[in-house]
Amino acid sequence: MTSSPPGLLPHDDLGAAWRKARPRPAGRHLDSAASSRQSSRALEAAAHHARHEAELGGYVAAQAAENLLQQGRSVIGGLVGMAAADVAFVESAQAALSALLTGWRLPAGSRVACLPGEYAPNIGALGAYGLRPEPLPVDGAGRADLEGVERLLRTDPPRFVHLDHVPSHRGIVQPAAEIAALCRAAGVPLVLDAAQALGHVDTDVGADVVYGTSRKWLAGPRGVGVLLARPAITEELTPVMPGGEDLPPMRAFESAEGHIAGRIGLIMAVGEHLAAGPDRARERLTGIGRATRALLDGAAGWTVIEPADEPSATTTLTPPDGVDVVATRARLLGEHGIVVSALGRERAPGEMAGPVLRVSPHLDVTLEDLEALAEAL
Ligand SMILES: *Cc1c(COP(=O)(O)O)cnc(C)c1O
């Protein structure tokens, strides 16, 4: 970890390159946990494929792109320590979880251990498949308590553990590698929701299933997601329709109708992430999180929730008494051109005490952007 002098962000070259690689923002975009800004190359690659569809026909164009798609599965697999054959393109993280649960066909009532702060739509999906979410032990910040997790796995093992590597409502990085090791030792599969983790933190942690989305920290297009499963899990899955005979089994979970142009845009975005150097990118994102928290904590009475040094770029803030978060988000956008998110308690009702403002800048942010936000608050 490179630590930079206070008041400076590490690896400014990455910020400059990221900024130069994409269209100029209309304002200050500090909202990558919702949706990042795509690069010009990713946009052009997707447009190029869409044009091919118009020229050749959608299915002929998809066939022509298959080599590129397969290279993409390979590099996406590499982000989590899996192989191209373990990867399926889907439409979103939510669609990935549904595809997994559809295929897994676990008996109704099967217990699934997840964080008390689990993303509410994931709780909904587990329930829709008849599964019973049960809380993993956590500390006061919502971080999994490893001793408690080890005890749970030993004394009363769930059917699987479902972990949000970085939650949606808080910039806490869960100890996913440690939990993966505990799960492996206990013979309990670990399913990792990496929607906020891919492109943001190290996701090569040894999980059995990983799923995520293109548009957040990987800065790919919307409407694309990925589902990855190791062969031992894939063997337990039964697809709705059998896949092609010569294809890896996970391909049966890839939606046959899909935004192929978007998948190609995502592959470009992953290529750019790898070219930038994921380690350096993570160092800069950690520095950004630290600077954001230092500049915003206490600004106009807003309070930062995350520990100051949490190695993520996401910061959430609780409002001073009487200040409405949704109205603040609208005011920041309308009057200052600053894009952030307002999250209501319903996002993670098991953990959130009230609404928060979420600030999630990507590599291109400047200290001046963050100071402008503090000033606007
Ligand atoms: C955004 C998010 C999802 C859902 O991703 P989609 O691509 O919108 O389906 C799931 N889990 C977490 C933790 C998220 O932040």
Side-chain angles (χ1 to χ4, degrees):
M1 180 83 231
T2 317
S3 58
S4 22
L8 287 181
L9 299 175
H11 309 314
D12 274 335
D13 60 309
L14 284 184
W18 208 85
R19 196 172 314 121
K20 188 155 168 271
R22 56 208 72 226
R24 265 174 78 88
R28 302 183 197 267
H29 185 279
L30 312 177
D31 203 23
S32 282
S35 187
S36 282
R37 301 194 305 113
Q38 290 185 63
S39 73
S40 302
R41 278 189 66 207
L43 291 165
E44 278 153 22
H48 185 75
H49 183 80
R51 185 169 191 91
H52 255 183
E53 290 182 342
E55 289 164 354
L56 306 177
Y59 289 83
V60 179
Q63 194 64 49
E66 186 47 41
N67 274 343
L68 176 57
L69 292 166
Q70 184 61 6
Q71 283 172 34
R73 292 186 194 95
S74 176
V75 289
I76 290 165
L79 295 177
V80 304
M82 294 195 207
D86 304 334
V87 180
F89 286 111
V90 292
E91 277 52 67
S92 64
Q94 190 82 72
L97 180 58
S98 292
L100 173 71
L101 297 178
T102 299
W104 219 346
R105 306 188 183 202
L106 298 174
S110 299
R111 294 163 45 240
V112 180
C114 49
L115 297 167
E118 181 61 62
Y119 185 62
N122 289 349
I123 295 281
L126 293 171
Y129 285 84
L131 306 177
R132 277 209 342 252
E134 288 185 1
L136 284 168
V138 289
D139 68 11
R143 197 187 314 274
D145 157 25
L146 293 173
E147 271 177 32
V149 171
E150 191 275 331
R151 198 173 321 116
L152 176 80
L153 291 171
R154 180 161 38 80
T155 57
D156 197 14
R159 181 60 182 82
F160 68 90
V161 171
H162 181 278
L163 182 71
D164 294 4
H165 196 166
V166 180
S168 164
H169 67 288
R170 191 170 288 184
I172 294 280
V173 183
Q174 295 291 340
E178 290 82 354
I179 291 177
L182 292 175
C183 284
R184 176 132 320 158
V188 173
L190 173 63
V191 176
L192 195 67
D193 174 345
Q196 292 292 353
L198 290 169
H200 187 188
V201 301
D202 185 3
T203 47
D204 184 1
V205 295
D208 300 285
V209 176
V210 181
Y211 66 89
T213 198
S214 148
R215 72 180 186 283
K216 294 178 179 173
W217 298 94
L218 287 174
R222 299 191 62 176
V224 181
V226 289
L227 170 64
L228 301 96
R230 293 191 192 277
I233 298 291
T234 309
E235 273 174 24
E236 296 184 9
L237 306 182
T238 311
V240 173
M241 291 294 288
E245 269 185 14
D246 308 329
L247 294 176
M250 275 310 284
R251 210 63 70 73
F253 293 90
E254 193 155 296
S255 33
E257 171 46 17
H259 181 26
I260 308 294
R263 294 175 187 176
I264 289 169
L266 169 61
I267 292 166
M268 284 299 145
V270 172
E272 290 176 327
H273 168 66
L274 295 177
D279 288 340
R280 292 181 83 236
R282 287 194 282 270
E283 284 169 7
R284 183 165 174 86
L285 290 172
T286 293
I288 287 168
R290 192 176 292 140
T292 305
R293 292 172 202 129
L295 280 166
L296 296 183
D297 194 29
W302 289 78
T303 309
V304 167
I305 291 183
E306 292 76 13
D309 284 340
E310 192 67 19
S312 81
T314 297
T315 296
T316 57
L317 299 140
T318 52
D321 279 348
V323 173
D324 184 73
V325 175
V326 172
T328 302
R329 187 255 176 198
R331 180 176 68 78
L332 291 170
L333 181 60
E335 292 177 19
H336 303 274
I338 298 175
V339 188
V340 293
S341 284
L343 311 182
R345 241 201 105 220
E346 67 283 355
R347 170 92 37 144
E351 184 165 271
M352 293 175 75
V356 297
L357 197 68
R358 183 181 63 191
V359 182
S360 54
H362 218 309
L363 295 171
D364 59 334
V365 77
T366 60
L367 291 171
E368 196 239 322
D369 291 327
L370 298 172
E371 284 157 6
L373 171 57
E375 182 62 27
L377 279 177

